[in-house]
Amino acid sequence: TMEFEIMPAFHGELKALEESYQVAKAEGMTHSGELLTLIEQMKQVAVKGKLEAVTSWIAEFLETGEKLVVFATHHFAVDAIMSAFPEVAVKLTGESSMDERQKAVDQFQNNSAVKLFVGNIKAAGVGITLTSASTVAFVEFAWTPGEHEQAEDRCHRIGQKNAVNIYYLISNAAIERKIAELIQAKSAILNAVLDGDMQGIRNLSIFKELAEQF
């Protein structure tokens, strides 16, 4: 896990959202749509506040000459990263056509000049092979450990010759720290289970625990 400082310009907005969240929670809205909305807003501010630092980390990694797969959830995060590396990056989101999807994968897999793959976790986390990279970085996080595991497996597939390194690029915002903590805890449970309803465990969302603990 790599942790980055939130830029000062975002501190006030994040603090106000955190205070609104605590007020809503105190009023008994633990399972309401209002809490989910506030969590989503906090997540977005946290991501925006760390994007400059994350982009610098990606640039430093690419200087090694190795390829990198980056997963995010919001279009603004994907677009910000893409705009920083226009000559060496391809992207795949829910808006990508089937042709664009395949072209992005083929370029990343076969073109030595294409060093960075930027994908939406849901759209790019299944059904594709990205074994030309052995490093995956999550800029944002899904609600279930199964989605992360599936995304990681894009590089773990047959044809991968190297050990795959996984990075979680979190901010020092409390909301992201808590989400990363819960995802890692549930991933440990998932990996420890040998029998039983694996699909049910994969699909467990962290939202309930987040609303109760944050």
Side-chain angles (χ1 to χ4, degrees), residues 1 5 8 20 23 32 50-51 69 77-78 80 86 90 122-123 128 135 139 165 197:
T1 300
E5 294 282 337
S20 295
V23 169
S32 74
K50 71 178 178 182
L51 271 176
V69 175
V78 172
V90 292
K122 287 188 178 294
I128 62 175
T135 303
V139 174
N165 297 309
D197 182 10

Side-chain angles (χ1 to χ4, degrees), residues 35-82:
L35 274 195
L36 182 57
T37 298
L38 287 167
I39 286 173
E40 174 61 23
Q41 291 173 339
M42 284 187 283
K43 285 176 63 181
Q44 290 193 31
V45 173
V47 172
K48 290 174 182 178
K50 71 178 178 182
L51 271 176
E52 185 175 318
V54 164
T55 300
S56 295
W57 182 90
I58 293 172
E60 185 174 338
F61 178 91
L62 294 179
E63 288 178 1
T64 67
E66 298 294 319
K67 294 198 176 196
L68 175 66
V69 175
V70 172
F71 286 109
T73 60
H74 291 97
H75 287 294
F76 73 78
V78 172
D79 291 343
I81 296 169
M82 284 295 298

